[in-house]
Amino acid sequence: MTDAAVGAGGGRPARGRLRSALIDESFVLLSETGMAGFSVAELARRLGVSTAAPYRHFPNREALLAVVAAQSADELTRSMKAAAQAAGPDPIDRLAATAGAYVRHVSDRGAGLDVIFARELRPLRDADVARAGRNLMALLLDLARQAGHDDLPQALLLLEQLFVLAHGYVTLDTEDFLTRSRLSSEDVATRATRAATALLRGNVT
């Protein structure tokens, strides 16, 4: 089946749109299964195309995931920048807001740091993934610097703690640990932001 044959019906992508449809559906699948369950064959089944069709656009699973990782990093950077700006002038509040932005992003897209910095993608040395990852870290390090952490090792340790916290909330929510509290995704994001604020206030001397 060629791309020209895709799109006649049954929910298949329109002609010439299989590549973008594969990327879009990858986010949906990641939100359901995570990296471990991500399958190109499942993507093809969902889109109603042959299992060979995706490989006309991506040479392998990792190449597709690299595009998804770069897009996710770009989206996350924009979301974090917007959240920091909306948090007001206090630099600690601005940095803490990135934790909530992270929870919202993963809730919406299913692709977090585990995808953006996935170990299995490192051998590709993909330029877009590297660029997007650098931009994300540059934003976070700048926010950490504004919050009083000019020393690079100290700033990196603080960001590590911040995102262990944020990703922990994502994991607990995904695994239904928080369901008894009947929390919405926005509630979880708010809790992550508050916890991040407490962490950061405790780290500032």
Side-chain angles (χ1 to χ4, degrees):
M1 180 182 294
T2 66
D3 282 1
V6 175
R12 295 175 180 177
R15 179 174 178 170
R17 290 205 69 252
L18 179 57
R19 186 180 189 278
S20 60
L22 285 164
I23 296 168
D24 290 344
E25 191 63 28
S26 291
F27 282 102
V28 177
L29 184 57
L30 282 167
S31 70
E32 297 173 2
T33 69
M35 285 283 282
F38 185 86
S39 162
V40 177
E42 174 60 15
L43 287 177
R45 185 194 68 77
R46 291 180 177 210
L47 294 172
V49 299
S50 71
T51 54
Y55 296 106
R56 299 190 181 100
H57 298 275
F58 302 97
N60 50 48
R61 174 181 180 271
E62 289 71 26
L64 170 55
L65 281 169
V67 173
V68 172
Q71 183 172 323
S72 182
D74 285 337
E75 292 175 356
L76 180 57
T77 300
R78 290 193 294 270
S79 296
M80 287 183 169
K81 186 178 294 185
Q85 290 172 347
D90 187 290
I92 293 178
D93 290 342
R94 289 165 62 83
L95 181 56
T98 63
Y102 180 77
V103 171
R104 293 184 192 95
H105 172 79
V106 181
S107 176
D108 290 342
R109 302 296 270 159
L113 297 182
D114 54 333
V115 176
I116 295 169
F117 296 111
R119 179 180 300 176
E120 64 193 85
L121 300 183
R122 293 175 192 169
L124 294 179
R125 298 183 180 277
D126 185 272
D128 281 340
V129 174
R131 171 200 54 78
R134 284 194 302 270
N135 289 344
L136 175 60
M137 288 305 300
L139 171 66
L140 291 168
L141 285 170
D142 185 53
L143 289 170
R145 180 189 59 77
Q146 293 174 29
H149 296 273
D150 291 314
D151 180 71
L152 181 58
Q154 181 190 35
L156 289 172
L157 178 59
L158 182 64
L159 292 178
E160 174 189 297
Q161 294 169 343
L162 185 66
F163 284 95
V164 165
L165 180 156
H167 198 75
Y169 269 101
V170 168
T171 301
L172 291 175
D173 190 37
T174 301
E175 295 180 356
D176 294 330
F177 185 84
L178 302 176
T179 52
R180 290 187 179 181
S181 299
R182 299 182 180 179
L183 299 177
S184 67
S185 58
E186 184 59 31
D187 291 331
V188 178
T190 298
R191 285 196 178 189
T193 301
R194 288 174 178 167
T197 302
L199 169 70
L200 294 169
R201 297 282 180 205
N203 273 276
V204 173
T205 58

